[in-house]
Amino acid sequence: MLEALNPFYLWIKAFHIIAVIAWMAGMLYLPRLYVYHCEVAPGSAESARFKTMERRLLRAIVNPAMIATWLLGITLVLTPASGGFAQGWLHAKLLLVVALSAAHGLFSKWRKDFEKDVNRRPAKFYRIWNEVPAVLMIGIVILVVVKPF
């Protein structure tokens, strides 16, 4: 039954890559918004604007892109043409994708803190977290392209 996916393998892969790009765009931008949000007074018009931007980015782009990335990625692994789950590089990649998903969860929680005006972290904290998705992405891309094990 899963062999029926083989003719669509490259299409599934293409849409997976598109979803990953959208997810990464949001994951790289959201903590940057938090850096700027820290610089404005809670309850101000600027704060309200950041809250709207953060909520819309997360709900309209980042969350759907993450879901699509996971669903298409699982479909790829289940497609016999992919080589299956037994590949060592894939295990390492999945570990990094789980870490990226955990960062996504943290970013979502922090958005709720900003929404309630209870953020207690400085801009430097978000500047550091702004680099985490990029570092994870580098590892993921290297594993997918080089397949070192």
Side-chain angles (χ1 to χ4, degrees):
M1 179 165 120
L2 293 175
E3 290 80 21
L5 292 172
N6 282 339
F8 304 104
Y9 175 71
L10 293 177
W11 284 101
I12 298 165
K13 186 188 277 189
F15 285 112
H16 177 67
I17 293 168
I18 292 165
V20 168
I21 291 169
W23 188 22
M24 287 306 306
M27 290 293 287
L28 293 169
Y29 188 48
L30 192 57
R32 179 55 48 186
L33 286 175
Y34 297 158
V35 169
Y36 300 140
H37 199 156
C38 286
E39 298 171 353
V40 302
S44 67
E46 293 89 356
S47 179
R49 187 175 317 114
F50 280 116
K51 289 176 187 180
T52 299
M53 292 169 65
E54 293 156 2
R55 184 181 64 253
R56 288 181 179 170
L57 177 62
L58 199 60
R59 290 185 181 168
I61 297 172
V62 184
N63 288 345
M66 181 192 71
I67 292 166
T69 297
W70 270 101
L71 291 176
L72 291 162
I74 290 167
T75 303
L76 279 173
V77 171
L78 294 175
T79 303
S82 74
F85 188 70
Q87 304 164 90
W89 67 268
L90 182 58
H91 297 183
K93 175 197 171 188
L94 284 173
L95 180 66
L96 295 181
V97 174
V98 167
L100 187 61
S101 299
H104 179 125
L106 288 173
F107 292 0
S108 297
K109 181 198 176 304
W110 297 336
R111 187 203 67 80
K112 291 176 185 173
D113 290 345
F114 276 109
E115 185 72 33
K116 297 178 207 167
D117 290 325
V118 296
N119 173 57
R120 302 287 181 249
R121 295 176 182 88
K124 185 176 181 179
F125 175 84
Y126 298 110
R127 279 190 185 92
I128 292 167
W129 272 96
N130 192 197
E131 305 307 322
V132 171
V135 170
L136 292 170
M137 177 192 62
I138 290 166
I140 291 166
V141 170
I142 289 171
L143 286 167
V144 169
V145 173
V146 177
K147 299 179 183 174
F149 44 90

